[in-house]
Amino acid sequence: MANIQIRKYRDEDSEAVKELFTSGMNEHLPSSFMHVMKQPLTQMLLMCTFCSLMASSKSFLLPVLAVTLLLAGVRQMIAYMFNKYIEASLKNDLNNIGETYLNREDSCFWVAESDGQVVGTVACVPAEDAPESLELKRMSVCRSHRGMGIAKALCRTVADFTLDRGYPAVILYTSMVATDAHKLYEHMGYKKMRQFLLPEFFAKMINFTLIEYRLNLEEEK
């Protein structure tokens, strides 16, 4: 991990952190679309639309156009769901990282820096639903710097911070489509605790879930 430094966030990192977060989130759009396409409800809707229009119009072009429009609509809905989350995050905790993470007890935000460029981020805060744990948040590594051990180093940074603060565990939540993240966390010793649907109506329709992972630091000693 040559020329990589992990340090606390500084105010001048703000724009770079926001850009890294946004680009990282948008990377999940294609895999989310493929997830929706594999759902029985989606396949049934597309098939029924195609067959009904084929039977009623006696035309091949009309059902093809209708299915194409439906696919475009589904992709737009997925993009809307992601954009809504991105906008909310940029307006909330990422709008004032110093106040949200650095000025609060048992919270912190770190960046990974390479040659003066922010190439990775991670944060932690006290977990709302698990008082004995800190929650790992905002893990992201620039695509051009992956495979260099940065994400593992960021995970270890959070684990060390958690131990220093006297907490026995780290928890995190990640989406079902972030398969590379799943492999990373499991490699770092995190255990899958549960999987649950997002509360939004469209997320329920497409069976889009979050996964909770937990790292018991007492077992890691």
Side-chain angles (χ1 to χ4, degrees), residues 6 110 122 124 151-162 164:
I6 295 178
W110 298 268
V122 75
C124 69
K152 293 177 183 177
L154 291 169
C155 279
R156 285 192 289 268
T157 298
V158 171
D160 291 343
F161 180 87
T162 303
D164 288 343

Side-chain angles (χ1 to χ4, degrees), residues 8-52:
K8 285 187 177 181
Y9 168 89
R10 297 194 289 254
D11 288 341
E12 56 265 32
D13 301 323
S14 177
E15 290 306 313
V17 168
K18 291 177 181 178
E19 290 176 9
L20 187 57
F21 165 73
T22 302
S23 62
M25 288 300 302
N26 284 328
E27 284 182 23
H28 297 308
L29 282 172
S31 55
S32 297
F33 179 72
M34 290 307 300
H35 164 73
V36 174
M37 294 306 300
K38 294 176 182 177
Q39 298 305 302
L41 180 62
T42 306
Q43 295 177 357
M44 182 177 68
L45 174 63
L46 294 175
M47 182 62 69
C48 289
T49 300
F50 184 87
C51 292
S52 61

Side-chain angles (χ1 to χ4, degrees), residues 7-25 86 89-90 92-98 101-102 108-113 116-123 137-142 154:
R7 58 168 175 80
K8 285 187 177 181
Y9 168 89
R10 297 194 289 254
D11 288 341
E12 56 265 32
D13 301 323
S14 177
E15 290 306 313
V17 168
K18 291 177 181 178
E19 290 176 9
L20 187 57
F21 165 73
T22 302
S23 62
M25 288 300 302
I86 291 170
S89 299
L90 294 177
N92 295 321
D93 65 302
L94 295 180
N95 185 49
N96 192 336
I97 292 173
Y101 295 101
L102 301 183
C108 199
F109 196 106
W110 298 268
V111 301
E113 185 180 68
Q117 176 189 0
V118 173
V119 297
T121 66
V122 75
K137 298 169 66 72
R138 304 310 183 205
M139 169 70 80
S140 186
V141 175
C142 181
L154 291 169

